[in-house]
Amino acid sequence: MPERPLALFAMSAETLPHAFPPDVLARLRASVDIDPGLIADGGFDDPAVRTVLAEAEVLITGWGCPAIDASVLDAAPKLRAVLHAAGSVKSTIAPGLWDRGLVVSSAADANALPVAEYTLGMIMLVGKDLLTARERYRTLRTFPLAEIVPGIGNFRRRIGIVGASRIGRRVIELLRPFDFDVSLADPYVDEAEAAALGVRLLPLGELLAGSDIVSVHAPATDETRHLIGAAELALMPDGSVLINTARGSLVDTDALVAELRTGRLKAVLDVTDPEPLPADSPLFDLPGAFITPHLAGSQGNEVQRLGLCVVEELERLLAGRPLSHQVDPAALERAA
């Protein structure tokens, strides 16, 4: 690539200033010729966008990126790389892109970090039964001093991780300093890999039956739809907690509501099916359900980490060094 090749932003105009605040944008513009006032937002049909696209060697994409299909690729004969300041590129990149030898990088690892942090925080909180205790204290306005509350605490708490995705692996890593007993269920992981991760590999049913807290991190595919259904929920011990920060479709919502209504289980849900929930969903009112509005992923100041990841990848690309986050097309089928 020549010095400061031409590049184009393809994402929502709302996303761009969060992912590329002034300092990150300045670093980006030191490497490529890019106009932050020209964005392919909603499509590539704008004449000014088409003019730049015809000469662009790099697309800087992100949330809200229009589909990069064959017509876009035909209009960008000099394109060499797509650097995605977000997670999955599965719904953005047309299969034909890989046949043209383009390099694709994604900030999925950067976006995985806040999800894993959220999950760790929730595991620690539900292990102390904080959610229930808070409501009890708010209702009663008192509590017995020096009481030792049985059944709570994080010492040797059994944690089940469903899915050794990049987020699942990051959660496992974050759990290591604590006194947890961690198991993993993933059909694509073998015993040797599980041992390297420092966890026990179990069949899903055995993991569900033997965990106090189950955290879901599998990708959303046809194969994993309702991976956690009525039969799976029934295996979970009384008083156990299900955490889902992956995709709502992995959990059968109706089956979960039925279990929560009995008071036997609790759930922490950052994602739901459908999403957003209908206003009359019982999940809003069930005391065993703690619902957050899909905020585990990058939010606020965390979004600039995605832009910074892209800038660092671009600098590697221009220096001829291997990319740290290059997307493997063969892995997309099993990705979220």
Side-chain angles (χ1 to χ4, degrees):
M1 286 189 181
E3 187 175 353
R4 292 189 74 244
L6 188 62
L8 175 68
F9 281 119
M11 62 183 68
S12 73
E14 180 183 355
T15 294
L16 195 148
H18 294 285
F20 297 93
D23 59 328
V24 179
L25 180 62
R27 185 170 165 184
L28 175 71
R29 298 185 78 182
S31 296
V32 291
D33 179 6
I34 192 165
D35 179 2
L38 182 65
I39 311 170
D41 179 2
F44 291 92
D45 296 331
D46 179 271
V49 168
R50 300 293 282 192
T51 297
V52 173
L53 188 62
E55 300 294 326
E57 296 186 52
V58 180
L59 278 181
I60 307 294
T61 62
W63 290 323
C65 176
I68 302 174
D69 58 20
S71 66
V72 174
L73 296 174
D74 289 342
K78 297 183 180 180
L79 190 63
R80 296 292 178 266
V82 177
L83 306 181
H84 193 53
S88 175
V89 299
K90 195 172 182 179
S91 62
T92 301
I93 303 296
L97 180 146
W98 309 105
D99 299 332
R100 304 191 186 209
L102 273 69
V103 173
V104 180
S105 174
S106 164
D109 284 338
N111 194 46
L113 179 56
V115 183
E117 292 171 342
Y118 172 104
T119 303
L120 172 64
M122 288 299 174
I123 288 172
M124 301 295 286
L125 292 178
V126 300
K128 296 286 282 189
D129 199 29
L130 183 138
L131 307 180
T132 302
R134 174 186 180 274
E135 292 304 311
R136 185 186 307 115
Y137 192 16
R138 186 163 64 175
T139 300
L140 300 177
R141 306 300 167 105
T142 187
F143 67 94
L145 290 170
E147 177 189 33
I148 296 178
V149 181
I152 73 169
N154 287 310
F155 181 59
R156 296 179 180 171
R157 180 71 68 179
R158 300 172 301 172
I159 312 298
I161 304 297
V162 180
S165 61
R166 57 172 50 89
I167 297 172
R169 291 166 187 262
R170 184 64 170 164
V171 171
I172 290 170
E173 180 182 343
L174 293 179
L175 291 173
R176 283 191 191 121
F178 304 99
D179 291 316
F180 289 120
D181 178 3
V182 184
S183 299
L184 170 69
D186 189 314
Y188 299 102
V189 172
D190 60 23
E191 293 283 356
E193 188 174 6
L197 290 170
V199 297
R200 283 196 321 279
L201 185 65
L202 297 175
L204 178 59
E206 189 174 338
L207 177 139
L208 293 170
S211 298
D212 303 305
I213 301 171
V214 173
S215 191
V216 181
H217 301 289
T221 64
D222 291 341
E223 182 184 12
T224 61
R225 177 170 175 76
H226 290 182
L227 179 70
I228 309 295
E232 289 73 26
L233 292 168
L235 295 172
M236 295 178 63
D238 292 356
S240 59
V241 182
L242 177 73
I243 300 175
N244 188 11
T245 58
R247 288 291 183 267
S249 63
L250 274 73
V251 177
D252 183 334
T253 300
D254 292 340
L256 179 61
V257 167
E259 281 285 6
L260 294 176
R261 278 182 168 144
T262 70
R264 199 179 70 80
L265 304 179
K266 296 184 179 71
V268 175
L269 306 173
D270 188 55
V271 291
T272 57
D273 183 22
E275 190 174 62
L277 288 169
D280 61 352
S281 170
L283 286 171
F284 288 119
D285 300 310
L286 285 167
F290 185 81
I291 316 295
T292 56
H294 203 144
L295 53 75
S298 297
Q299 292 283 339
N301 60 26
E302 296 165 337
V303 179
Q304 65 185 284
R305 184 190 281 128
L306 308 181
L308 184 59
C309 178
V310 160
V311 171
E312 291 170 347
E313 284 287 78
L314 176 65
E315 291 170 350
R316 294 184 192 99
L317 181 71
L318 297 182
R321 300 197 306 270
L323 300 187
S324 295
H325 307 288
Q326 186 165 342
V327 176
D328 177 6
L332 280 182
E333 185 177 344
R334 292 196 280 115

